Amino acid sequence: MFEKIALVGIGLIGSSLARVIRREHLARHIAIATRSPSTLKRAEELGLGDSYSTDLREAVRDADLVIVSVPVGSSAEVAEEIAPALKNGAILTDVGSTKASVIAQMQPFVPKGVHFIPGHPLAGTEKSGPDAGFAELFENRWCIFTPLPGTDPAALEKLSEFWRRCGSNIDTMDAEHHDMVLAIVSHLPHIIAYNIVGTADDLESVAKGEVIKYAASGFRDFTRLAASDPTMWRDVCLHNKDAILEMLARFSEDLASLQRAIRWGDGEKLFDLFTRTRGIRRSIIEAGQETAAPDFGRHGVEQGKGIGE
Amino acid sequence: MFEKIALVGIGLIGSSLARVIRREHLARHIAIATRSPSTLKRAEELGLGDSYSTDLREAVRDADLVIVSVPVGSSAEVAEEIAPALKNGAILTDVGSTKASVIAQMQPFVPKGVHFIPGHPLAGTEKSGPDAGFAELFENRWCIFTPLPGTDPAALEKLSEFWRRCGSNIDTMDAEHHDMVLAIVSHLPHIIAYNIVGTADDLESVAKGEVIKYAASGFRDFTRLAASDPTMWRDVCLHNKDAILEMLARFSEDLASLQRAIRWGDGEKLFDLFTRTRGIRRSIIEAGQETAAPDFGRHGVEQGKGIGE
């Protein structure tokens, strides 16, 4: 599909891309670039690409497609660094979880003749680094583009086809709407998960050993999101501030109302909410975005019948 | 182990008990009782017991072990109903998620000569009803007893042995401590999950279809707990009010502080919290209370490599 694809950043997303590009023969040459010599070494040991460099400019030179997969807070710096080496006619995209901020950071550096198309594959796990990636990560997941006015339709279609061949479904929307949607479906859940795990960690009346021992009764569900990459999530919080603060305000307002129902013994109100929320999970399962197996199918995994068996 | 075990209530927990009692030959006779004729019929169709009755008294007569598995708000009513029929020397226990309230509700009705030992197996899934149970539910999970002063050690040991043969590990603590521990490891996570799913359901700027479509980016993790049985969880909220309100207050305080860090761009504070929480998950995995597979091992399940394969 492409002569040369450059992957700038080779963590969970970058390394999953490298694997699926190889499997699907989407490029003749995969150039891998990261500033961290130890991460680059690991990527090389894993055989993820065809060339490896800590010099981002060298990696993107002559590339037809450049995919930036770095924490969103590093977007400006990376764009500034690679801009002079970008080939005329190349497609430049990213995978960041916030879009308005990434556009603001990268756009000013994009040379004329380069097609900058901001993107966000909604895929990931709580693991990070080049070892965490796998070729199936994007299968049946959505990839959202937030194209800028004047985007070349041919370039957008080519990038869409690339992501479809990685297994994804494609959507497009404007960056502001993306950031609002993601604030509720992704950013708020992560922040809440981090917060509750922090609250439990701080208790003095309940020993930390007890929290760990009895985690299967609900708490452990939150620890997965709260084990996600700290740098990535710090940057998301700092770069989608307005939408996140809006969602946090709504969440806290609702929680105060729920708390009041508990204090005053309003069983009917509790029952109504607890019934309403059941249907949403059903819809997500029907949409093919969640497993129907009880307990996420964990039980099978724990009994040794899981992945790879 | 027992001549006759009576299971009062035959939902997820009761029906899982029926299955493991049969598999492990823990009783010569399993008597199943529930007030709901349709649930009873389903239990009979599933062949879960040896006798079936909507008359709780009839079921518990002559039983050596009576296990009450009903929403905690029904404890007093059930205890009052069955008390006259309980055999001298029988062990009476429950599986309720709150213990001080269950003791207050049941204890007054327990006849002299009956060993009342409140219990709580920390096991479950988001499913409910007799079809949802499975014999392995209690494997490697904790069962907590909150024995009253003067409890007969032989009866406690016999009940402990029963639960060990169901696959559980045993702990004992006082009821107040149990309720505080469970408020953080189980009740608060469920309430938060219900709340965030409710918040998402109420948004007008983001379509419900979008929440469902993009749920895999974090939100879906919360929908599992928020799909739990509404009656059970209403009762938990009403019957462990003080401990839950205490944990909610701490959670909200911490969230306000996190929100402030986001508003003022305090990246260091965010990074510190997001790093600290990673370790807790590691400890839970090491304690054998969680799977180490990425994404709960969901990916394997979704790819058809899950349970039963």
Side-chain angles (χ1 to χ4, degrees):
Chain A
M1 240 197 119
F2 292 96
E3 274 301 312
K4 177 179 174 181
I5 296 181
L7 300 173
V8 178
I10 195 72
L12 170 68
I13 300 294
S15 74
S16 294
L17 279 169
R19 287 169 172 102
V20 69
I21 291 167
R22 185 83 83 187
R23 193 191 66 189
E24 299 297 317
H25 310 290
L26 303 179
R28 223 183 283 276
H29 184 101
I30 303 172
I32 291 177
T34 167
R35 276 184 182 143
S36 153
S38 60
T39 305
L40 192 73
K41 186 163 166 277
R42 188 62 197 139
E44 195 164 357
E45 284 164 4
L46 292 166
L48 295 175
D50 299 298
S51 62
Y52 304 88
S53 178
T54 51
D55 179 343
L56 310 188
R57 265 185 221 182
E58 190 190 309
V60 304
R61 207 176 302 277
D62 302 320
D64 314 288
L65 173 61
V66 174
I67 308 178
V68 175
S69 315
V70 301
V72 289
S74 306
S75 305
E77 202 186 322
V78 166
E80 184 171 15
E81 171 78 18
I82 63 174
L86 291 170
K87 183 169 109 171
N88 189 40
I91 297 173
L92 169 66
T93 188
D94 78 305
V95 302
S97 307
T98 74
K99 294 269 64 80
S101 158
V102 166
I103 292 169
Q105 288 182 69
M106 294 182 74
Q107 169 92 15
F109 298 106
V110 179
K112 237 183 135 94
V114 168
H115 305 289
F116 173 46
I117 305 174
H120 179 205
L122 309 192
T125 76
E126 69 279 18
K127 313 276 178 175
S128 42
D131 285 279
F134 51 98
E136 300 78 20
L137 180 64
F138 308 106
E139 264 170 38
N140 195 28
R141 293 287 162 260
W142 290 93
C143 183
I144 301 177
F145 296 118
T146 60
L148 299 157
T151 296
D152 176 30
L156 179 58
E157 178 45 35
K158 186 153 192 196
L159 186 60
S160 301
E161 182 55 23
F162 169 81
W163 277 103
R164 277 193 288 265
R165 290 175 69 174
C166 293
S168 294
N169 308 314
I170 308 299
D171 258 338
T172 61
M173 58 181 72
D174 69 54
E176 285 62 34
H177 188 65
H178 167 281
D179 289 357
M180 190 59 89
V181 172
L182 268 289
I184 186 70
V185 297
S186 177
H187 307 169
L188 183 64
H190 279 82
I191 290 165
I192 295 305
Y194 279 122
N195 192 67
I196 195 172
V197 176
T199 301
D201 193 39
D202 282 342
L203 290 175
E204 59 300 301
S205 56
V206 176
K208 199 178 298 185
E210 291 179 304
V211 171
I212 288 160
K213 225 165 137 178
Y214 307 133
S217 50
F219 182 71
R220 64 176 176 168
D221 276 25
F222 292 78
T223 61
R224 190 182 79 79
L225 295 183
S228 302
D229 186 55
T231 306
M232 169 184 167
W233 284 98
R234 177 201 60 199
D235 282 9
V236 168
C237 289
L238 299 177
H239 291 270
N240 194 21
K241 197 170 87 169
D242 295 344
I244 288 173
L245 289 175
E246 163 71 19
M247 294 305 165
L248 270 171
R250 285 168 181 259
F251 172 87
S252 296
E253 209 172 285
D254 292 344
L255 190 62
S257 158
L258 182 49
Q259 185 167 334
R260 193 171 189 283
I262 293 171
R263 189 180 302 278
W264 293 97
D266 187 346
E268 204 176 319
K269 186 170 177 172
L270 297 173
F271 187 82
D272 285 349
L273 172 65
F274 298 174
T275 304
R276 181 155 69 95
T277 50
R278 268 194 149 172
I280 295 191
R281 183 168 179 80
R282 213 175 305 123
S283 308
I284 296 170
I285 292 168
E286 282 160 13
Q289 295 297 314
E290 174 64 295
T291 171
D295 211 4
F296 298 128
R298 251 190 206 128
H299 207 83
V301 177
E302 285 176 332
Q303 307 291 315
K305 295 180 221 131
I307 288 180
E309 298 223 358
Chain B
M1 238 197 121
F2 293 96
E3 272 302 312
K4 178 179 175 182
I5 296 180
L7 300 175
V8 178
I10 193 73
L12 171 68
I13 300 292
S15 74
S16 294
L17 279 168
R19 287 168 170 103
V20 67
I21 290 167
R22 185 83 84 189
R23 193 191 65 190
E24 298 297 316
H25 311 291
L26 303 179
R28 221 182 284 275
H29 184 101
I30 303 172
I32 290 177
T34 168
R35 276 182 184 146
S36 154
S38 61
T39 305
L40 192 72
K41 186 163 166 274
R42 189 62 197 138
E44 196 164 357
E45 284 165 2
L46 291 166
L48 295 175
D50 299 298
S51 63
Y52 304 87
S53 179
T54 54
D55 179 344
L56 310 189
R57 264 185 221 181
E58 189 191 310
V60 306
R61 209 177 302 278
D62 302 322
D64 314 290
L65 173 61
V66 175
I67 308 179
V68 175
S69 314
V70 300
V72 291
S74 307
S75 305
E77 202 186 321
V78 166
E80 184 171 16
E81 170 79 17
I82 62 174
L86 291 170
K87 183 169 110 170
N88 190 41
I91 296 173
L92 170 65
T93 189
D94 77 307
V95 303
S97 307
T98 74
K99 296 269 60 82
S101 158
V102 166
I103 293 169
Q105 289 183 71
M106 293 184 74
Q107 168 92 13
F109 298 107
V110 180
K112 237 184 133 93
V114 168
H115 304 289
F116 173 46
I117 304 174
H120 180 204
L122 308 193
T125 77
E126 69 279 19
K127 313 277 178 174
S128 42
D131 284 280
F134 51 98
E136 300 76 21
L137 180 62
F138 309 107
E139 265 170 36
N140 194 29
R141 292 287 161 261
W142 290 92
C143 182
I144 301 178
F145 296 118
T146 59
L148 300 157
T151 297
D152 176 28
L156 178 59
E157 178 44 36
K158 188 155 191 193
L159 186 61
S160 301
E161 182 55 23
F162 168 81
W163 277 103
R164 275 191 290 263
R165 288 173 70 174
C166 293
S168 295
N169 309 314
I170 307 298
D171 258 336
T172 60
M173 58 181 71
D174 68 54
E176 285 64 32
H177 188 66
H178 167 279
D179 289 356
M180 189 60 88
V181 172
L182 268 289
I184 185 72
V185 296
S186 177
H187 307 170
L188 183 63
H190 279 82
I191 290 165
I192 295 304
Y194 279 121
N195 191 69
I196 194 171
V197 176
T199 301
D201 193 38
D202 284 342
L203 290 177
E204 61 298 304
S205 55
V206 177
K208 201 180 294 185
E210 291 179 304
V211 171
I212 288 159
K213 227 165 136 178
Y214 308 131
S217 50
F219 182 70
R220 63 175 178 169
D221 277 26
F222 291 76
T223 62
R224 191 183 80 78
L225 295 183
S228 303
D229 186 55
T231 306
M232 168 181 168
W233 283 99
R234 177 200 61 199
D235 282 11
V236 167
C237 288
L238 299 177
H239 291 271
N240 195 22
K241 196 170 87 169
D242 294 345
I244 288 173
L245 289 175
E246 163 71 18
M247 293 307 165
L248 270 171
R250 284 168 183 260
F251 173 86
S252 296
E253 207 172 286
D254 292 345
L255 191 61
S257 158
L258 183 49
Q259 187 167 333
R260 191 172 190 282
I262 293 170
R263 189 178 303 280
W264 293 95
D266 186 345
E268 204 176 321
K269 187 172 176 171
L270 298 172
F271 186 82
D272 285 351
L273 171 65
F274 299 174
T275 305
R276 182 154 69 93
T277 50
R278 269 195 145 170
I280 294 189
R281 181 165 179 85
R282 215 175 303 124
S283 306
I284 297 170
I285 292 168
E286 281 161 13
Q289 296 297 313
E290 175 64 293
T291 172
D295 211 4
F296 298 129
R298 251 190 205 129
H299 207 85
V301 176
E302 286 174 330
Q303 308 292 315
K305 295 182 219 125
I307 287 182
E309 299 221 358

